[in-house]
Amino acid sequence: MTAPTAGVPTRTPAAVLAAAADAGATVVLSGHVQPDADALGSTLALAEGLRRRGARVTATFPGRPVLPDSLGWLPGAEGLVPSTAVPTSPDVFVSLDAASPGRLGELAALLGDAGTSVVVDHHASNPGFGDVRLVDPTSPATVVLVAGLLDELGVDLDAHLATLLYAGLAADTGSFRFSSTRPDTHELAARLLSTGIDHAAVSQRLFDTAPFGWLRLLSAVAGRAVLEPGVGAGLVWTWSSTAEAGEHGLPGEQLEALVDVVRATAEADVACVLKGQDDGSWSVSLRSRGDTDVARVAMALGGGGHRGAAGFTSHLDREGTVEAIRELLARR
């Protein structure tokens, strides 16, 4: 958790949000671009909690206002508004699960335009932006921090909120497989399950449901994968693009799941998937099996993330992007 600056009275995120709710203030909440289950679950859960406390809440996310089918079913998602429709000078702006201002896209301006900006995040690469921060790199997911905030706000966790929190928790812990999972992670999961949520249905929608075109895309992308065991502790990489996804009837967001297949390669500690975007850039996902700090690589290339999962955007060509990754992995 970020320590308060010496000599400055502490304003905790919970205190700021409680005051905003008590005053019926305007609060805008947003996760990062191309939100995942943790970003969206955090945003929707905290938005609902603040709404119950009396705040005037607007929940949104940057970029194209379309969610993938794997997330569009989350409770409250139907109430999300496009980023172009949010108040331009809210009393409070809350950034959730965004590792840097750049991850907020066009909404980053609200960090300065809002009366107070609150940042809630768990990425180790977070540089410490916003007026009031709850940044805990040891937390396995941002929804864990949101659960704590809801407790401080006196909001009871019911099945609605628990579904949102469980979705983010299951996603960011890899269904509790990743090393970030702690004893209290399971304790929170048990608490959420006790509300009566259908956790099997949540997991099926998040991880085990995809259109048939996904199999075609996966076959093509896996078929062009390259294994380079001599790079660092081993590198496996492949690529695709939003255009290729479209050829299989899939939205570009479907590319996000590719890296979780590629990372299973036993001979490589680092998995990399390059996802070509419509503007010619590459959105790069990096994953580590444990020996390599991929956040170090991503941060050196303008991105960020966690030791085991990170990413960045590249404006080099495909081979130039991979070569930049090779060079950094060689500096272990």
Side-chain angles (χ1 to χ4, degrees):
M1 190 180 302
T2 304
T5 303
V8 178
T10 300
R11 287 194 302 163
T12 67
V16 170
L17 295 174
D22 291 342
T26 300
V27 182
V28 173
L29 304 95
S30 176
H32 54 68
V33 293
Q34 296 181 334
D36 55 15
D38 190 25
L40 194 61
S42 295
T43 299
L44 292 173
L46 188 56
E48 177 63 19
L50 290 171
R51 192 176 290 116
R52 294 179 187 181
R53 278 290 310 270
R56 291 177 292 161
V57 173
T58 300
T60 186
F61 60 92
R64 196 165 66 97
V66 178
L67 292 174
D69 291 341
S70 61
L71 298 178
W73 60 272
L74 287 170
E78 70 282 355
L80 290 164
V81 304
S83 61
T84 54
V86 304
T88 55
S89 299
D91 297 311
V92 178
F93 172 61
V94 186
S95 165
L96 295 132
D97 201 44
S100 67
R103 293 284 284 161
L104 292 168
E106 65 275 13
L107 291 167
L110 292 182
L111 290 168
D113 294 343
T116 303
S117 59
V118 177
V119 173
V120 183
D121 184 38
H122 73 128
H123 291 91
S125 61
N126 190 299
F129 61 99
D131 298 325
V132 183
R133 300 183 292 277
L134 174 56
V135 179
D136 184 358
T138 69
S139 177
T142 296
V143 291
V144 174
L145 305 178
V146 169
L149 287 174
L150 292 172
D151 286 342
E152 291 187 73
L153 291 169
V155 177
D156 292 332
L157 296 186
D158 57 12
H160 179 117
L161 294 171
T163 297
L164 295 168
L165 298 173
Y166 188 86
L169 189 64
D172 258 34
T173 60
S175 295
F176 309 98
R177 293 178 293 115
F178 297 163
S179 61
S180 59
T181 301
R182 309 178 305 199
D184 58 355
T185 309
H186 288 290
E187 291 169 3
L188 175 59
R191 183 181 170 200
L192 300 176
L193 292 179
S194 71
T195 65
I197 63 172
D198 188 343
H199 65 94
V202 171
S203 294
Q204 184 179 61
R205 283 174 143 168
L206 287 177
F207 311 120
D208 298 329
T209 302
F212 181 72
W214 163 248
L215 295 180
R216 300 286 192 186
L217 175 67
L218 182 60
S219 175
V221 174
R224 66 171 74 108
V226 177
L227 175 63
E228 301 186 26
V231 175
L235 169 68
V236 59
W237 66 275
T238 188
W239 62 274
S240 186
S241 67
T242 54
E244 183 176 38
E247 292 172 3
H248 295 280
L250 303 171
E253 292 84 358
Q254 198 78 51
L255 300 174
E256 299 302 315
L258 291 169
V259 71
D260 289 320
V261 177
V262 178
R263 71 186 302 169
T265 304
E267 296 90 343
D269 189 56
V270 174
C272 170
V273 174
L274 289 77
K275 298 157 289 184
Q277 305 300 300
D278 294 339
D279 64 1
S281 66
W282 294 97
S283 176
V284 183
S285 294
L286 298 168
R287 298 291 186 271
S288 168
R289 292 175 66 86
D291 289 341
T292 306
D293 181 359
V294 292
R296 173 186 65 84
V297 176
M299 290 175 68
L301 297 172
H306 308 284
R307 176 181 176 84
F312 66 96
T313 297
S314 173
H315 295 280
L316 301 174
D317 60 19
R318 187 171 69 232
E319 183 52 42
T321 300
V322 176
E323 182 56 31
I325 294 169
R326 290 190 191 104
E327 291 178 2
L328 286 164
L329 290 176
R331 300 176 193 170
R332 294 182 68 205

